[in-house]
Every structure is written in structure tokens, then in C-alpha cells.
Amino acid sequence: MSTKQIRNIAIIAHVDHGKTTMVDQLLRQSGTFAEHEKVVDTVMDNNAIEKERGITILAKNCAVTWEGTHINIVDTPGHADFGGEVERALSMVDGVVLLIDAQEGPMPQTRFVTKKALALGLKPILVVNKVDKPGARPDFVVNAAFDLFDKLGATDEQLDFPVVYASGINGWSSLEEGAAGEQWGPDMSALFNTILKHVPAQKGDPAAPLQLQISALDFSTFVGRIGVGRISQGTIKPMMDVVVMEGPDGKAIKGRVNQVLTFQGLERVQATEAGPGEIVLINGIADLNIGVTVTDPTKPSPLPMLKVDEPTLTMNFCVNTSPLAGREGKFVTSRQIWDRLQKELQHNVALRVSETDEEGIFEVMGRGELHLTILLENMRREGFEMAVSKPRVVMKDVDGEKHEPIELVTADIEEQHQGGVMQALGERKGELVNMEPDGRGRVRLEYRIPARGLIGFTNEFLNLTRGSGLISNIFDSYEPHKGDIGGRKQGVLISMDDGEIFTYALGKLDDRGRMFVKANDPVYEGMIVGIHSRDNDLVVNATRTKQLTNFRVSGKEDAIKITPPIELTLEYGVEFIEDDELVEITPKSVRLRKRHLKESDRKRASR
């Protein structure tokens, strides 16, 4: 088994730079798919939410064979909120392929994953993707990537990186630049050969004691928990006795491996044995967790547990206590929510969950809004009902002084929107670091801003740029508290009664602001039905009906004109609410409500 040629690589990139499409092409051109199996949809993003949003959330493994060498490929998420996934994936590989869009250049999330890879001593291969785009500037990207590596403290060896030019969607790569509008290379062989040449082969000894670190978990109803990891040394076989250790000083649990599987394309195939460098799946051991080492019981040699960056954002997950609770969801009790969160902790390494002093309220910490809202979206699709609070940043106490997380923000906008965006970021305590016009009517702004200031900013940014702006952010460091930041500028419309909304009531409320509800929606006292056009909260009668009499009134037949309601999504709700409000989430609906439903309770709480 030790004679098998193996290369382990991770593909890292910013969101939407073409990572998953590139993996798709590598699978096709290595002969993994037969001609008749060509599918239009990307193969790797197989989770329902990933398909809907077009992003990678979970790190995934696949493998191809090229000229007799087995290449394990890990497709990683490009979003910093899923940094826990990236850190796990990088522990399994010996080299990284960094994909950068030929037009956009390096972006904040590129910086995040690259920093992690360089710190682990992995040597990068730079792939300038989408070079066939009209606005492509490959030379600029190569120089910008070199500057980025230098800033992140790369060694001389890491700075001497190979460059491959590619068009992932058209399935070709080249080591040389060609003419614009032409195909520079025949196929993906240039990238494959660069991987074989520059990614080091595994040097582990197959005869040494087994050392296999678990980097990911899977589950099957047939065999139970499945651990995925790379063998550093030794050989593993089915039905072999092993010991599972939580780091050098942690507890040790005896177990027996049932099956050993390896990746072949997207399939998992059973193996009779596996040696150093192979990424394997093992089952039969109930106590597998992320970061543990599966090792030899006679000569245990455990590896240190995986380290993951601390979470920066926290939310309260509460039991749904609204009058409409329990109508749509299957799981509504605090015990069910707690059990589900405990299950999530087993594979979502960047998450933290703790109980609070209040009954039925749990504190959940994550990397960012997207990290937490994806968890909420998964839970509501499984049939859970709950309410969540406004996200809060996780503060740190450094030498008795309060420190808060600072984010590095990159906004790519049209020049005409520059003034409004800079004013909005300035109001949120942002500091301008860099401003770079591209000479074609767009400008890139780089800011350092407290993470608190970014909560709820996405919708405002989209309005300011008329939907044409791109914004991304990444955690930078902890710094002393920057002072108060203003909240939402508008108040809300609150229902005063339980019942059903009528068109007549909506017509009367239309000039008061924008609504979240439409005719025939159920409402209850304390539920937020719209945004007030002024800065104060207003209690309104949303269930008002027309008095039916036998008198004719002039204007009675006039049509009621109603502005279409704002579509309430989970992300919008979480960003919109203030500290005294909650988002009620059920499998079919997202509603906003005040924490205290009765007006008298709200007045008492505000004193």
C-alpha cells in the first residue's frame, strides 16, 4: 500500500470565484464521470441550501486519479463565517490551490483562508480563474497575490509559487498567457501536472504505529457515526483494534474499526487497508469526535487537538412563546431545541452553546450572522419552532479594559454611490484604510469597522448602491471599545389585537409606513406588522374591519390602494430587529414581535 502515489490538496477561494465549478471540471476530465453522466448542476454543492444560494457551506471530499496518482481534493467554503470548516479541511492536506478571479483580484475571504494555509506551512499554487472574462487582468492578480502573501508573512519558498491560468467553466488551463478571447490551453492537464509537481507526497511510514486524526464527521443510519481524516503514519485495516485519544493529555477510549472506505470520484469504496497520506472514512466507533486521534493501542501516538478561532457573535435561541406557537412546527420544546444544538456541536466546530439563567433560553455563539442563520434555516426545515434575539458581539476583557472585534470590510461600488456608502460606514465608526478606483466607473473601499456596526448594514448597503454593490467582511482583531453606535433609524408598527389582517385595515395603515404582512395573515398583540415612517414605535389596529350599514356613503366604491409588503426573510429579520424584539421562526413563517407582547409590560420594562 505504501507504494501508492497520493497527493492531498484543498481548493480555497473567495465566495463565487469558481471553486466548485473547477472541482467539477477536474472530476470530469480525470474520467471520473462517463460521458453520459455529464450533469449541468454542480456536483459538489449537494446540500439544498447550497444549491439555492450558490455557495459552499460544508467542506467536502472527492478524489481523482491522474497518470496513476491518487489526488484527494477537498472543496472548502469561501466565506469566513464557515472558517471552522476551512480549518478542519486544511488539517487533511499537503498543499493548497488558491483560486482568484482574474477580474476581481484577491478579496477579504481570500486573505482569511490563505493566512490559515500559510501559517500551516502549506505551499500554494495560484490559479488565475476566469481569464476569458472581458475585464480580466491576470498580471494585476499575480502581483496582488504576491503582495498579499508577503503581507501575511509567507516564507521565501511560499512566495515562489507556480501560476496556472484557467477558465473553470470552459474546462481549460495553461501555464502561459495567451491572446484575449482565445483558448490558451487544451484542457485541465496543466493544472493536474502542476499539482503533481509542486504538492509534496506523503512521507509517513506505513510500518509505524497508526496515527489518524479525525477532521470531519458524517452519519449513516446503517453504520452510525463515520469519521473522516488523513492517516499521518501507520496502516489501518477493517476489524482492527484501536484507541481513540483526545490529544496527548486527554482521555483514551478503546474501540474497533468496522469498515475502512476511501474516496473514488464522489463515491466511497471499501478498502482492505489504507496507508500514510490516504484520506479515509472509518465507522464502528461511537465515540468519534472532531480532532481526536485514532491510534495504536500498544504504542499510542496522539496528535494535538485541532485549534479553531473563537466565535465573535452570539444570539439567544428561545422557546417560541407567541400566541401562534405550535401551529406549524413539530419540535417546539426547550429540550428538543437543546438536543438539536448538542447534535450540531458534534460537527460544527466553530459553534459554542450554553444554557442561560432563564428557562428555555440558550446562548449560541458563532463566527458571524451567516454562520448562525444557516443553522437556523436548517433547523426550521427540520420542523423546529423558536424565537431568536438580535445578534450581539462577543466582547473580551483585556487587562481590565473592554475589547471588541474589529472587521476588515471591502466594498466594491459604483463611483456615484461612494458618498452615501462612506457616510453610512463613517456613522458606524468605520475607518477608511484604502480607496482604489478601477478606472471603469467603480471604486473599491477598504474599511476597518467594529463588528457591532455591521449588524444590520447589508440591507442599508444594498439600498444605498441600488443593488449594484458587493460587500464582504472578515474578522481582523480585537481592539478597545469604540463607543456607542446608533441603531435603527425608524420605529415599528405594532398590532394591538389578536386576529386576522383585513385589506380595509391595510388601506388605512398604508401611509403610516411599509408593511410586513398581507391580507388574511394571522396577527397577535405585540407582533410587528410594519416599519413606521417616523422614528418612534406606534401601536396600530391591524384587525380593523369596515362597519357594515345600510347607508350609502360617497366614495364607498373607491378601490383600496396598498403598497406591496416587504418580503420577510430570516436574514432580513435578524438584521432588522432591536434588543427589545425577537424573530419568531417556524417551518412556514418568519414573524417579528416585541419581547413583551402587552403594551403595559413594555412601558414597565422601559422605565
Side-chain angles (χ1 to χ4, degrees), residues 125-425:
I125 295 170
L126 176 65
V127 177
V128 184
N129 195 24
K130 307 189 186 183
V131 288
D132 51 346
K133 275 168 84 170
R137 13 177 217 171
D139 294 343
F140 159 77
V141 171
V142 174
N143 293 332
F146 184 89
D147 293 343
L148 175 68
F149 288 2
D150 194 32
K151 267 187 209 158
L152 297 176
T155 61
D156 290 347
E157 193 187 355
Q158 286 171 328
L159 285 172
D160 184 23
F161 54 86
V163 180
V164 180
Y165 303 98
S167 167
I169 198 149
N170 293 317
W172 55 261
S173 62
S174 163
L175 299 176
E176 306 289 332
E177 279 192 63
E182 290 181 14
Q183 188 167 324
W184 301 359
D187 52 23
M188 283 304 207
S189 53
L191 176 56
F192 275 123
N193 294 333
T194 307
I195 290 169
L196 296 192
K197 184 178 173 186
H198 290 278
V199 176
Q202 178 67 25
K203 297 184 176 69
D205 178 7
L210 175 66
Q211 199 175 51
L212 159 64
Q213 186 160 39
I214 301 299
S215 303
L217 290 178
D218 202 349
F219 187 80
S220 150
T221 47
F222 183 58
V223 292
R225 192 176 291 194
I226 302 168
V228 185
R230 180 182 65 168
I231 301 171
S232 303
Q233 61 176 41
T235 305
I236 192 166
K237 296 177 183 177
M239 307 316 291
M240 176 174 168
D241 288 321
V242 292
V243 63
V244 179
M245 295 189 73
E246 292 181 2
D249 309 318
K251 59 179 182 179
I253 300 163
K254 289 183 177 178
R256 174 174 281 187
V257 176
N258 179 17
Q259 294 172 316
V260 177
L261 300 100
T262 57
F263 290 98
Q264 191 63 52
L266 294 170
E267 302 296 319
R268 300 168 177 190
V269 292
Q270 287 201 37
T272 51
E273 64 172 10
E278 292 209 57
I279 293 177
V280 296
L281 303 103
I282 61 166
N283 58 49
I285 303 170
D287 299 301
L288 282 181
N289 283 309
I290 285 173
V292 300
T293 310
V294 177
T295 184
D296 193 308
T298 54
K299 292 184 195 163
S301 50
L303 291 161
M305 293 289 280
L306 292 177
K307 280 193 173 67
V308 174
D309 283 356
E310 290 299 307
T312 57
L313 210 64
T314 174
M315 277 167 101
N316 285 350
F317 284 33
C318 331
V319 171
N320 185 12
T321 54
S322 90
L324 300 177
R327 292 191 184 183
E328 295 172 1
K330 286 190 292 188
F331 309 113
V332 294
T333 65
S334 60
R335 177 54 48 205
Q336 287 166 328
I337 294 170
W338 174 255
D339 290 346
R340 173 65 180 83
L341 290 172
Q342 291 305 308
K343 187 177 156 198
E344 185 71 21
L345 283 176
Q346 292 173 358
H347 60 84
N348 197 337
V349 286
L351 203 71
R352 305 276 183 279
V353 178
S354 58
E355 293 187 83
T356 62
D357 300 336
E358 295 178 71
E359 182 68 32
I361 299 180
F362 310 114
E363 189 174 25
V364 182
M365 295 185 188
R367 279 288 182 81
E369 276 178 59
L370 192 61
H371 185 201
L372 294 171
T373 51
I374 292 285
L375 167 61
L376 286 168
E377 184 63 44
N378 277 321
M379 287 176 72
R380 72 178 279 212
R381 289 180 185 208
E382 290 164 19
F384 282 86
E385 249 187 52
M386 68 206 127
V388 296
S389 71
K390 181 186 169 108
R392 307 178 302 282
V393 297
V394 179
M395 300 287 187
K396 262 189 182 172
D397 200 36
V398 181
D399 302 328
E401 192 181 6
K402 193 158 71 165
H403 280 54
E404 66 174 330
I406 303 291
E407 302 269 330
L408 196 65
V409 174
T410 301
D412 199 331
I413 55 174
E414 290 181 2
E415 282 175 354
Q416 70 210 49
H417 303 136
Q418 185 178 336
V421 172
M422 288 179 78
Q423 183 184 341
L425 286 166

Side-chain angles (χ1 to χ4, degrees), residues 430-494:
E431 297 167 14
L432 184 64
V433 179
N434 189 18
M435 187 164 83
E436 207 178 290
D438 70 350
R440 291 196 291 269
R442 287 183 80 84
V443 63
R444 183 178 287 187
L445 305 172
E446 286 185 22
Y447 271 85
R448 292 184 79 248
I449 183 170
R452 286 178 300 140
L454 283 177
I455 295 172
F457 181 63
T458 312
N459 292 314
E460 189 181 337
F461 176 78
L462 288 173
N463 290 333
L464 287 168
T465 61
R466 306 284 184 274
S468 65
L470 297 167
I471 189 166
S472 49
N473 58 293
I474 167 114
F475 170 71
D476 191 39
S477 61
Y478 270 88
E479 286 187 10
H481 195 266
K482 302 285 184 191
D484 289 340
I485 294 173
R488 192 175 65 210
K489 293 184 178 73
Q490 290 168 297
V492 289
L493 303 173
I494 307 162

Side-chain angles (χ1 to χ4, degrees), residues 33 36 54 67 93 95 110 155 256 270 275 325 352 385 422 430 450 455 507 540 551 566-567 594:
F33 294 147
H36 67 275
E67 294 181 355
V93 299
T110 319
T155 61
R256 174 174 281 187
Q270 287 201 37
R352 305 276 183 279
E385 249 187 52
M422 288 179 78
I455 295 172
V540 297
F551 285 96
I566 297 170
E567 193 176 335
K594 285 289 183 184

